[in-house]
Amino acid sequence: MLKFRNAAFAAGALFVSVSAPAIAQDDDGGRWSVTVTPRYQQLFFSPSPENGEVKSIPTYGGSIAVRNPDGRFGVMGTFMTGKKNNGFYNYEDDGFSGRYRFNVKREEYALTFEYTPSETGVSLLAGYHNFLARENEARVDAPVGDSEVNSYRYKIGAAEAGFRLSSRLGANSRQSLSAQFLVGVGSGRYRVNEKEVIGGQTSTNVGSRKGTGYLGDIAIGYNIFLTDNISLGARARGYVFFVDAKGADPIFAAAPEANLSVRF
């Protein structure tokens, strides 16, 4: 019997931040500013939630943000990518158990517009977010003559909106805290290609299913300003992605992030 494991596909669901830590948003002397932010995230997820087994994958990318002279308006582009080859996880469900080797790759990009009213620490965010993940897996402990090979693809293109709160730790402090929340709704597609051979009998599950795509991003951050134009940041992030299509489960991940922002 073919066992479709949405939980295994969570290995492919790796997520992206869409808002960069601001350097400073005061008047820049009539000059537009550009902020470049390299990013690193170590993403933690459970390929097999039934076992509670946790895996991680490194992801890299960055953001480029442009702001008007008084810092109230800005636009930012973000790109993140990551992959993991030859990872392993164990799966158990209803008396079935198996060990799987998996390869995953993800790519994401976002375009975000920001508005920060003067004399406030609140930024309103809106934009577009594209998420794509691919995962291939194969069972490595199948009995002789049996096999199982599966591939999954998960894609969401969504309009999103949210806000970010930020505050310095004192009037002259070079440290700040921030909190961010984003939600998005758009189109989604879930593709599955599963093939299992047991005792000479072959079972397949192949399909491409459309549905409404949902995404969410919540983060708490800390920045320390080395100069007025350079800051180091750390974030605790949580993500969820979901395509409302048959067989597709919500995908969750936690991701500590480190970043460096330089304003020109």
Side-chain angles (χ1 to χ4, degrees):
M1 178 179 178
L2 183 68
K3 291 182 177 293
F4 175 55
R5 295 179 305 282
N6 298 299
F9 179 63
L14 305 177
F15 318 120
V16 63
S17 163
V18 295
S19 65
I23 295 288
Q25 296 183 5
D26 47 10
D27 195 310
D28 201 28
R31 182 171 59 88
W32 288 72
S33 66
V34 177
T35 301
V36 178
T37 305
R39 299 175 179 276
Y40 172 81
Q41 292 182 350
Q42 189 70 25
L43 292 150
F44 293 87
F45 58 94
S46 179
S48 178
E50 291 85 354
N51 295 356
E53 190 175 9
V54 176
K55 303 294 182 179
S56 69
I57 180 172
T59 59
Y60 309 87
S63 302
I64 298 177
V66 178
R67 284 191 172 272
N68 74 327
D70 66 11
R72 289 187 300 165
F73 297 94
V75 61
M76 178 175 54
T78 299
F79 176 78
M80 296 287 287
T81 186
K83 66 179 180 179
K84 183 179 183 68
N85 295 324
N86 296 318
F88 291 88
Y89 76 92
N90 298 304
Y91 178 83
E92 293 184 8
D93 185 36
D94 296 332
F96 170 85
S97 64
R99 181 168 175 79
Y100 293 82
R101 180 179 64 248
F102 66 87
N103 299 325
V104 297
K105 183 178 181 179
R106 48 78 60 156
E107 291 184 353
E108 291 185 65
Y109 61 85
L111 182 66
T112 306
F113 296 90
E114 301 187 19
Y115 171 64
T116 305
S118 297
E119 307 302 328
T120 74
V122 180
S123 295
L124 305 179
L125 313 173
Y128 175 80
H129 190 163
N130 185 277
F131 163 79
L132 174 65
R134 298 183 179 91
E135 190 245 343
N136 301 306
E137 66 173 28
R139 187 177 175 189
V140 297
D141 64 348
V144 176
D146 294 351
S147 65
E148 184 179 351
V149 178
N150 307 314
S151 65
Y152 307 96
R153 179 185 173 106
Y154 204 92
K155 183 177 182 179
I156 296 175
E160 62 183 359
F163 60 89
R164 182 175 62 247
L165 307 175
S166 59
S167 177
R168 297 267 187 160
L169 300 181
N172 299 314
S173 175
R174 288 194 171 272
Q175 302 176 74
S176 71
L177 296 177
S178 65
Q180 174 184 294
F181 180 72
L182 281 163
V183 295
V185 179
S187 63
R189 181 183 290 273
Y190 174 62
R191 294 179 180 175
V192 57
N193 188 339
E194 300 176 314
K195 182 178 179 180
E196 187 176 45
V197 179
I198 300 179
Q201 300 295 316
T202 301
S203 300
T204 61
N205 177 25
V206 180
S208 179
R209 302 153 189 171
K210 292 182 178 180
T212 303
Y214 302 92
L215 59 87
D217 169 16
I218 187 168
I220 298 174
Y222 167 81
N223 274 2
I224 181 167
F225 298 86
L226 305 181
T227 72
D228 288 343
N229 293 328
I230 300 175
S231 72
L232 294 174
R235 299 288 187 275
R237 314 200 74 97
Y239 301 96
V240 59
F241 285 74
F242 177 54
V243 174
D244 188 10
K246 182 180 179 181
D249 289 338
I251 300 170
F252 301 93
E257 174 186 312
N259 56 60
L260 168 70
S261 290
V262 181
R263 186 177 69 169
F264 301 94

